[in-house]
Amino acid sequence: MWRETTKHERNRKIWDEEFDDFVPDRVLDFHVHVWNEGVIPDGGSFSCAGHDITKYDVEGLKQDLGEVYPGRRTSAVCFGLPDPRYDRERNNRRLADACDGVRFFPFRLFDPAEGDAQAVRRDIEERGFVGLKPYPDYVREKKTEDVELRDMLPDWIMEIADDLALLVTVHLPRKQRLADPLNQRQLVDLCRRYRRARIVLAHVGRAYFLKNVVGRLDGLRDLPNLYYDVAMLNHWEVLAHLFRTVGPDRVLYGSDAPIGLAPGKSVEINDQYTYVTPVPWRLSISDDHGRLTFTSFLYEGLRAIRKAVNHLGLGESFVKGIFFENGTRLLGRRASPPGKAGPRRVPRPRGG
């Protein structure tokens, strides 16, 4: 069983000793990937840090949320698996059907090649999507390192996002990610031109090591509609810099499940980052000698959050904000605990 949940005794011990007195009663995970069987073409699979799977559906997510955050009331923002090789329409359709807009909130995978603005808007409204998830790989006519934000989010889709006050979770392109000057300029322009849309920088702009975040938030922190999710951030100093630089209401907890459930840790080496995993993965260094006992990326992330919070002397209200209240405010309503979901209602989020 590759998923590192409290089904493993070592993880239950970590939870009881390190997190039970820290993680609030309510947890809203703002960064989860969900896809059903058939999204990945026949014979294919997705590598969760070296563990191949063919689906991760809402039912699996429900089980994992209960086992990762025992005793907590949980909810999640969900988007599909953004890869142009996969069945995006099937993924979007099934995800929207599975999310209730009360506990689970669907974001629509967006491909700029779709082109038909009216059809896209109708799909968003009829299926109850509360946000969009673009991705650099959907821009096929450029190399990944040359993709620009405006390629991922052409004006026509941002006009829809602005009009409907949608959230947009952005995975920054280009080699330097958050540190890229063009990304910085286009991000500022995006936020200023489309003020009703709310932009969420996934993985704090993919700033997984300290040098890539220091000095990079200064020109962004005064944008009132820009937010940061901390998914897969295992570096406490990066988080401490984020927490002391941007407003306390701008930070959103995220896990990047199902990858976040896999055993491993993100590490910084000489102003670079990589992952360390117990098994080979194309993005990692693996522990071929089996010398380490791992917990999940998710629990390593919780450790980093707690260390940053303690280092800065931040209080309970800050912790409750990042784990639940900030995200709930963005979604425009209170997420209900399991077992109390009413009829499907997906309100239009309020402007930011």
Side-chain angles (χ1 to χ4, degrees):
M1 183 174 64
W2 63 269
R3 279 149 62 183
E4 291 289 335
T5 72
T6 53
K7 276 193 169 182
H8 295 288
E9 184 178 346
R10 62 181 180 274
N11 291 324
R12 183 69 206 213
K13 185 172 186 290
I14 290 170
W15 174 268
D16 290 342
E17 293 179 355
E18 300 183 38
F19 306 139
D20 194 36
D21 64 347
F22 176 70
V23 176
D25 176 61
R26 294 173 294 185
V27 176
L28 169 58
D29 189 332
F30 226 82
H31 192 127
V32 173
H33 294 276
V34 171
W35 70 98
N36 53 290
E37 198 77 54
V39 167
I40 300 175
D42 289 345
S45 61
F46 176 76
S47 180
C48 270
H51 308 271
D52 290 337
I53 61 175
T54 59
K55 70 173 182 177
Y56 188 69
D57 56 23
V58 169
E59 290 306 310
L61 173 61
K62 288 178 182 177
Q63 177 178 328
D64 289 334
L65 288 172
E67 293 172 2
V68 170
Y69 312 101
R72 280 17 181 208
R73 293 177 288 169
T74 56
S75 48
V77 163
C78 305
F79 27 77
L81 200 57
D83 189 313
R85 298 169 299 176
Y86 301 162
D87 191 336
R88 176 182 46 78
E89 166 57 24
R90 180 187 180 102
N91 201 167
N92 282 336
R93 182 176 66 251
R94 293 289 294 275
L95 175 64
D97 289 344
C99 290
D100 57 9
V102 177
R103 185 184 180 195
F104 298 109
F105 302 87
F107 277 34
R108 186 185 188 276
L109 292 176
F110 171 69
D111 184 340
E114 293 181 72
D116 188 336
Q118 290 185 346
V120 171
R121 178 172 182 137
R122 185 166 56 250
D123 188 55
I124 292 169
E125 293 182 310
E126 290 180 355
R127 291 182 175 165
F129 291 105
V130 297
L132 300 172
K133 175 61 178 172
Y135 201 70
D137 289 9
Y138 284 129
V139 181
R140 300 164 183 81
E141 64 272 16
K142 290 185 176 182
K143 295 179 180 178
T144 303
E145 292 186 358
D146 296 328
V147 171
E148 300 180 20
L149 267 176
R150 62 186 179 188
D151 299 323
M152 298 165 56
L153 291 165
D155 288 345
W156 66 266
I157 190 61
M158 286 308 303
E159 289 168 3
I160 293 173
D162 194 58
D163 188 48
L164 299 180
L166 298 176
L167 289 97
V168 184
T169 294
V170 174
H171 201 88
L172 283 181
R174 309 177 69 80
K175 187 175 182 179
Q176 291 181 283
R177 319 305 196 211
L178 183 65
D180 185 275
L182 183 61
N183 277 343
Q184 290 265 329
R185 292 195 300 271
Q186 292 190 0
L187 192 55
V188 170
D189 180 66
L190 194 73
C191 291
R192 288 179 175 170
R193 290 179 63 194
Y194 304 104
R195 295 178 182 271
R196 278 174 50 79
R198 277 72 52 74
I199 310 301
V200 179
L201 281 185
H203 319 291
V204 192
R206 302 172 79 186
Y208 298 110
F209 59 98
L210 189 59
K211 190 174 181 178
N212 214 42
V213 72
V214 172
R216 315 302 182 185
L217 301 174
D218 297 348
L220 306 175
R221 61 185 173 189
D222 293 329
L223 297 168
N225 54 340
L226 183 62
Y227 299 80
Y228 308 81
D229 87 36
V230 299
M232 287 292 280
L233 264 291
N234 292 175
H235 193 316
W236 77 268
E237 290 175 300
V238 171
L239 292 170
H241 181 76
L242 174 74
F243 295 167
R244 65 173 165 252
T245 304
V246 307
D249 61 335
R250 303 294 178 78
V251 183
L252 306 167
Y253 174 69
S255 71
D256 209 5
I259 286 182
L261 300 170
K265 181 177 172 66
S266 173
V267 297
E268 177 175 337
I269 301 173
N270 192 30
D271 294 332
Q272 305 159 95
Y273 82 93
T274 189
Y275 303 105
V276 179
T277 54
V279 297
W281 182 36
R282 66 181 182 86
L283 299 178
S284 77
I285 299 168
S286 61
D287 179 23
D288 297 331
H289 300 292
R291 293 179 177 176
L292 299 172
T293 299
F294 289 83
T295 187
S296 63
F297 289 107
L298 190 157
Y299 273 12
E300 294 289 4
L302 290 182
R303 281 173 166 160
I305 292 170
R306 181 167 192 171
K307 189 169 184 179
V309 165
N310 290 343
H311 177 76
L312 297 175
L314 299 171
E316 183 180 359
S317 63
F318 178 85
V319 176
K320 288 183 176 180
I322 64 174
F323 276 98
F324 183 78
E325 292 171 357
N326 297 343
T328 300
R329 194 179 306 115
L330 270 182
L331 291 168
R333 60 160 298 145
R334 182 171 297 276
S336 297
K340 295 185 179 180
R344 178 177 175 83
R345 293 179 295 156
V346 185
R348 179 181 297 182
R350 301 185 184 98

